[in-house]
């Protein structure tokens, strides 16, 4: 008797058994279904997030670094960063003079504040104080009017270059240039509009107003530690540039040789690693939940299969007496478990994909579904059934035929 | 010799007490014989059938089937022999309740790997032999006791086995149908099949060329059916009881 016979007869019996116990089949599959649904929804959402995040990262401009007192992403001991000296224009000057890999070097100060125009108001707008070369460092362009000049900075002029979100809100129909807006309560004349950059991690980069560095200092936190925005001339030389910057800054700040750097060189890529850690953790937790649900589902299947073996003890005895080999019986029950589980997997796949779709509709997260994900969902469920079906199937096959036939 | 049993014991341990279902049975059955096994209820007849049918393994003793030691055969080989060589008719039918009678009859052929078309043809032929061709799509639960018995017989015949083992095949039949079944066995015997059947009807046993009487797991009579069937067996039984010390 061939494996083909085992498989054919096994599937026929399995299908019939499932059809005979429709309610039981559905209930059994729920566990596995939920597990698969969870896994797929998570996979779909994270895949979607990855896709949109890659696009977002590209907009950051990959050959700029920002020297700050603190790293953007703080890991570990927060106290470690407390006693650090401020970064000042002197340090900036040192970089500008000594760094051979650097292009534009600009001071950057940041603040979030309200911006108003004609009684309308935007809150939590990013206010940046910088100089004329900030465009090169930030990757913004000017679409209207002009950018800040040295003279704007020297004379602390009350001028502002605005991001598209600000422009669209306040000036939907008219040219913003020449109008006066209030930035943190101070009247400033709009001289230019920036190009659109889009969002990073769901935060718009276009909800921004850029004013001269000195103007910023006189109106906002004057004594704050500055950030030094640096354009690296050649992206390939990023690492060498960083090494050189570390040397320059340690010298300028007189960092003792036995102490670690008391400043941080921040790169947009760091956001990527933060993102990966963030989603990695999310991914891990969700996968864990999914696997646990699948485990529970699998145990449910094992339980039902044991019940099924118990119920059909006499049937097993009859089949064995008529010439079914142990292998045949195992195949029959494993197929049945696999089939139940695959049915659950298929239902779970539908629900999971639906869930991911809903998430992508009601939240800014995009959900993409790769065809492999569907195959994975059903295949994985089938695998769960197979694994958890083996033991009950082996029990069935190892029943003593005579004992089995005596079963009432 | 087709079947050779040498000092076969089959013991069960029930709650610490040893039950000797078979207690030193030695018999030989030639190919083509028609043997009845008789004896009181609980004397070990079904146990003996299970051993002969390679379904049960003796606790002790040697069983040679076709000269081959059954104890040395693998589980797969035993399954193969049950499928190919042996047609079982169980005391309580042992039909699959959810399958049609035709599907039940086809089952041994399924495990033999016969194509769907051929096994259908053979199953229908077997159903005709037991005069049940009008009940092929019925499930066992929709059949009378006698009809179920006949489905069980058809299933045993469908595989065309060389050895037919029937445990009370006429027990549930009225005398007319019973007679037909007996005639069927006679035909099969004439055609060369080896038949071992358990019966409690002396009249049926008397028609068999040979009968073996069991009592308390021991052979207490072996000879022409007409002689053994109506033999007064009180004496051997008490002898056996003494041997047990009970
Ligand atoms: N699985 C078992 N466990 C314990 N004892 C058993 C088992 N199977 C059979 N026996 C015992 O073995 C003895 C013989 O049983 P068997 O079924 O062979 O009798 P029988 O001759 O077929 O009886 P009947 O005519 O009533 O069918 C009985 O005493 C029975 O109790
Ligand atoms: Mg019996």
């Amino acid at each position: 008797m061939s494996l083909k016979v085992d498989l054919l007869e096994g599937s026929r019996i399995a299908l019939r058994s499932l059809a005979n116990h429709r309610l039981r089949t559905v209930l059994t599959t729920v566990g596995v279904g939920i597990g698969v649904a969870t896994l797929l929804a998570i996979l779909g959402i994270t895949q979607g997030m990855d896709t949109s995040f890659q696009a977002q990262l590209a907009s950051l401009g990959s050959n700029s670094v920002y020297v700050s007192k603190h790293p953007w992403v703080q890991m570990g001991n927060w106290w470690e960063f407390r006693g650090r000296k401020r970064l000042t224009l002197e340090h900036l000057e040192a970089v500008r003079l000594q760094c051979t890999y650097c292009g534009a070097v600009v001071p950057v100060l940041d603040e979030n504040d309200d911006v108003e125009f004609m009684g309308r108001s935007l809150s939590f707008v990013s206010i940046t104080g910088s100089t004329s070369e900030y465009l090169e460092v930030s990757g913004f362009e000017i679409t209207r009017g002009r950018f800040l000049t040295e003279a704007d900075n020297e004379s602390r002029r009350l001028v502002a270059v605005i991001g598209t979100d600000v422009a669209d809100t306040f000036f939907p129909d008219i040219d913003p240039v020449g109008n006066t807006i209030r930035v943190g309560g101070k009247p400033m004349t709009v001289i230019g509009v920036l190009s659109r950059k889009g969002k990073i991690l769901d935060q718009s980069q276009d909800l921004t107003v850029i004013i001269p560095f000195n103007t910023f200092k006189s109106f906002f936190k004057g004594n704050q530690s500055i950030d030094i925005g640096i354009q690296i001339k050649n992206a390939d030389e990023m690492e060498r540039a960083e090494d050189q910057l570390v040397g320059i800054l340690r010298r300028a700040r007189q960092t003792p040789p036995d102490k670690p750097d008391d400043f941080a060189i921040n790169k947009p890529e760091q956001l990527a690693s933060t993102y990966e850690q963030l989603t990695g953790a999310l991914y891990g937790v969700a996968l864990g939940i999914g696997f646990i649900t699948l485990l529970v589902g699998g145990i449910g299947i094992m339980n039902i299969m044991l019940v099924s073996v118990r119920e059909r003890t006499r049937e097993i005895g009859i089949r064995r007496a008529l010439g079914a080999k142990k292998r045949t019986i195992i195949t029959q029950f494993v197929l049945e478990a696999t089939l139940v589980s695959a049915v659950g997997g298929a239902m779970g796949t539908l629900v999971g994909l639906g869930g991911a779709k809903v998430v992508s509709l009601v939240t800014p997260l995009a959900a993409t579904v790769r065809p492999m994900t569907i195959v994975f969902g059903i295949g994985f469920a089938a695998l769960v059934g197979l694994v958890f079906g083996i033991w009950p199937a082996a029990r069935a096959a190892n029943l003593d035929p005579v004992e089995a036939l005596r079963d009432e | 010799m087709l079947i050779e049993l040498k000092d076969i014991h089959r013991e069960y341990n029930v709650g610490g007490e040893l039950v000797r279902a078979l207690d030193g049975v030695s018999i030989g059955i030639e190919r083509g014989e028609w043997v009845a096994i008789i004896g009181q209820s609980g004397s070990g007849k079904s146990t003996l059938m299970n051993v002969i049918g390679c379904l049960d393994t003796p606790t002790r003793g040697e069983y040679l089937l076709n000269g081959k030691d059954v104890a040395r055969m693998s589980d797969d080989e035993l399954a193969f022999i049950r499928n190919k060589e042996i047609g079982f008719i169980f005391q309580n039918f042992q039909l699959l309740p959810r399958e049609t009678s035709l599907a039940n009859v086809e089952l041994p052929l399924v495990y033999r790997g016969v194509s769907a078309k051929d096994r259908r043809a053979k199953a229908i032929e077997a159903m005709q032999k037991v005069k049940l061709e009008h009940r092929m799509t019925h499930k066992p639960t929709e059949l009378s006791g006698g009809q179920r018995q006949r489905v069980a017989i058809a299933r045993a015949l469908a595989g065309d086995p060389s050895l037919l083992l029937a445990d009370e095949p006429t027990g549930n039949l009225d005398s007319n149908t019973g007679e037909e079944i007996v005639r069927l066995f006679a035909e099969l015997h004439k055609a060369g099949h080896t038949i071992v059947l358990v019966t409690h009807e002396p009249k049926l046993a008397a028609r068999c060329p040979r009968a073996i009487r069991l009592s308390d797991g021991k052979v207490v009579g072996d000879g022409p059916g007409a002689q053994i069937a109506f033999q007064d067996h009180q004496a051997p039984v008490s002898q056996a009881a003494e041997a047990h010390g009970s």
Side-chain angles (χ1 to χ4, degrees):
Chain A
M1 191 181 10
S2 63
L3 185 64
K4 193 180 129 208
V5 175
D6 285 352
L7 287 176
L8 270 178
E9 180 66 4
S11 331
R12 201 184 63 81
I13 298 167
L15 279 174
R16 171 169 292 218
S17 159
L18 297 193
N20 283 338
H21 299 110
R22 251 174 243 126
L23 180 65
R24 182 201 277 183
T25 305
V26 169
L27 291 178
T28 311
T29 57
V30 166
V32 172
I34 292 174
V36 168
T38 317
L39 281 179
L40 286 193
I42 296 304
L43 279 177
I45 290 166
T46 34
Q47 279 172 2
M49 275 164 75
D50 279 349
T51 314
S52 58
F53 189 68
Q54 301 307 332
Q56 291 172 3
L57 261 192
S59 75
L60 260 176
S62 61
N63 48 350
S64 298
V65 300
Y66 292 83
V67 179
S68 319
K69 224 167 96 178
H70 304 300
W72 283 345
V73 185
Q74 297 197 5
M75 296 284 170
N77 198 346
W78 177 77
W79 286 98
E80 208 181 293
F81 309 117
R82 288 246 326 159
R84 289 185 168 181
K85 278 193 287 185
R86 289 184 298 140
L87 275 165
T88 65
L89 288 174
E90 273 170 51
H91 304 134
L92 177 135
E93 217 41 52
V95 171
R96 205 201 293 275
L97 290 174
Q98 295 168 35
C99 178
T100 51
Y101 298 105
C102 301
V105 180
V106 295
V108 180
L109 279 170
D110 253 299
E111 184 72 71
N112 287 314
D113 212 328
D114 294 349
V115 176
E116 293 150 316
F117 177 69
M118 305 268 288
R120 266 189 291 170
S121 165
L122 281 169
S123 39
F124 233 72
V125 179
S126 154
I127 319 289
T128 301
S130 193
T131 56
S132 56
E133 287 180 313
Y134 180 73
L135 278 188
E136 279 84 73
V137 176
S138 66
F140 274 120
E141 280 164 29
I142 284 289
T143 55
R144 226 188 183 94
R146 64 173 178 85
F147 195 64
L148 306 170
T149 61
E150 283 305 317
D152 291 330
N153 193 34
E154 300 288 305
S155 323
R156 297 165 195 249
R157 285 192 190 135
L158 299 180
V159 291
V161 179
I162 58 176
T164 50
D165 283 357
V166 179
D168 292 347
T169 311
F170 292 156
F171 311 102
D173 307 315
I174 54 168
D175 187 353
V177 177
N179 285 290
T180 300
I181 57 175
R182 298 184 85 83
V183 180
K186 318 294 180 302
M188 311 239 175
T189 307
V190 177
I191 54 169
V193 180
L194 297 169
S195 57
R196 183 181 294 280
K197 260 194 174 182
K199 293 176 174 181
I200 286 193
L201 292 180
D202 207 34
Q203 187 141 35
S204 173
Q205 300 189 80
D206 302 309
L207 190 62
T208 186
V209 171
I210 299 166
I211 61 176
F213 180 73
N214 286 332
T215 313
F216 188 102
K217 270 180 75 164
S218 50
F219 285 124
F220 299 98
K221 303 171 188 165
N223 250 350
Q224 218 187 355
S225 173
I226 63 166
D227 285 358
I228 306 170
I230 301 165
Q231 176 200 20
I232 305 298
K233 280 189 258 179
N234 190 341
D236 300 337
E237 297 172 332
M238 186 59 88
E239 272 179 40
R240 260 173 281 164
E242 268 183 68
D243 289 345
Q244 194 185 42
L245 280 171
V246 168
I248 294 169
L249 286 161
R250 286 182 75 100
R251 248 175 288 129
R253 290 165 66 82
Q254 290 158 350
T255 315
D258 56 324
K259 289 274 168 61
D261 297 347
D262 56 350
F263 53 88
I265 297 176
N266 292 308
K267 288 174 288 181
E269 284 98 278
Q270 281 174 320
L271 281 182
S273 69
T274 317
Y275 164 83
E276 266 154 29
Q277 278 167 351
L278 201 90
T279 51
L282 183 79
Y283 208 59
V285 168
L287 277 181
I289 294 172
F291 276 115
I292 289 171
T293 321
L294 271 180
L295 185 76
V296 173
I299 290 171
I301 285 184
M302 187 150 81
N303 183 36
I304 284 299
M305 290 314 294
L306 286 173
V307 170
S308 182
V309 169
R310 181 80 265 291
E311 270 179 359
R312 283 147 73 186
T313 299
R314 199 203 259 268
E315 174 192 324
I316 295 161
I318 294 172
R319 292 182 186 278
R320 292 277 282 140
L322 297 181
K325 294 176 178 158
K326 286 189 177 179
R327 197 185 66 203
T328 313
I329 302 293
I330 289 188
T331 312
Q332 172 190 334
F333 281 94
V334 165
L335 270 176
E336 188 173 324
T338 308
L339 212 66
V340 175
S341 202
V343 169
M347 298 198 303
T349 303
L350 287 180
V351 174
L353 295 185
K357 189 82 202 160
V358 168
V359 166
S360 75
L361 288 179
V362 301
T363 74
L365 299 172
T368 51
V369 172
R370 300 175 191 162
M372 274 311 291
T373 314
I374 299 171
V375 178
F376 171 83
I378 298 175
F380 199 74
L383 188 71
V384 167
L386 190 110
V387 168
F388 285 90
I390 285 175
W391 186 55
R395 265 180 76 131
N398 285 319
L399 285 172
D400 175 47
V402 177
E403 288 297 314
L405 283 171
R406 295 171 78 92
D407 194 71
E408 289 304 315
Chain B
M1 194 87 73
L2 177 65
I3 293 165
E4 206 170 352
L5 299 170
K6 294 181 189 163
D7 196 28
I8 293 287
H9 292 256
R10 181 65 172 102
E11 292 159 1
Y12 295 100
N13 199 332
V14 185
E17 199 186 330
L18 203 63
V19 177
R20 295 173 213 269
L22 294 178
D23 191 10
V25 172
S26 300
I27 44 177
I29 297 173
E30 295 286 353
R31 191 175 286 283
E33 270 197 271
W34 183 6
V35 184
I37 296 185
I38 52 180
Q40 283 176 339
S41 180
S43 57
K45 305 183 294 292
S46 295
T47 309
L48 180 62
M49 294 295 258
N50 287 339
V51 169
I52 294 176
C54 298
L55 208 52
D56 201 357
T57 346
T59 318
R60 267 177 293 140
E62 197 181 20
Y63 173 22
L64 301 179
L65 179 63
N66 247 333
K68 274 182 82 181
D69 188 355
V70 170
R72 294 229 189 90
M73 292 189 200
S74 72
D75 198 84
D76 278 6
E77 279 177 291
L78 292 177
F80 179 79
I81 286 176
R82 288 198 293 268
N83 181 257
K84 192 95 201 296
E85 306 293 342
I86 293 166
F88 259 116
I89 300 156
F90 292 99
Q91 197 166 4
N92 41 5
F93 321 136
Q94 305 287 20
L95 300 171
L96 296 178
R98 288 185 188 279
E99 306 274 357
T100 63
S101 44
L102 193 64
N104 265 289
V105 174
E106 280 184 40
L107 204 53
L109 302 168
V110 168
Y111 289 126
R112 197 178 291 180
V114 177
S115 76
K117 202 172 134 236
D118 288 357
R119 66 178 189 238
R120 176 124 311 182
K122 285 195 175 175
I124 291 174
E125 198 185 312
M127 288 294 270
Q128 283 164 345
K129 275 191 197 154
V130 297
K131 308 247 158 24
L132 261 188
E133 56 269 42
H134 58 300
R135 288 287 182 273
M136 296 206 276
T137 56
H138 288 58
K139 293 184 177 161
T141 43
E142 298 155 358
L143 296 175
S144 74
Q147 286 169 330
R148 285 183 218 177
Q149 180 84 71
R150 284 189 277 164
V151 175
I153 295 170
R155 184 178 64 187
L157 295 179
D160 199 25
S162 56
L163 174 59
L164 262 176
L165 299 176
D167 203 343
E168 300 277 11
T170 57
N172 294 280
L173 304 180
D174 59 64
S175 54
N176 272 345
T177 338
E179 183 55 36
E180 270 174 34
I181 296 301
V182 174
R183 237 181 271 141
L184 187 63
F185 279 123
E187 268 171 43
L188 291 165
H189 170 58
K190 218 178 278 167
H193 289 77
T194 313
I195 302 168
V196 179
L197 68 82
V198 170
T199 180
H200 65 267
E201 291 172 58
K203 262 168 56 188
L204 174 51
R207 286 170 63 176
C208 299
R210 178 181 172 195
I212 294 170
R213 181 179 294 278
L214 284 185
S215 177
D216 274 350
K218 287 185 162 60
V219 176
V220 293
D222 188 349
Q227 182 188 324
I228 299 294
F230 299 102
Q231 184 189 51
D232 175 37
H233 54 271
Q234 282 312 111
V237 166
S238 58
Q239 265 171 20
E242 269 166 40
H244 277 277
S246 52

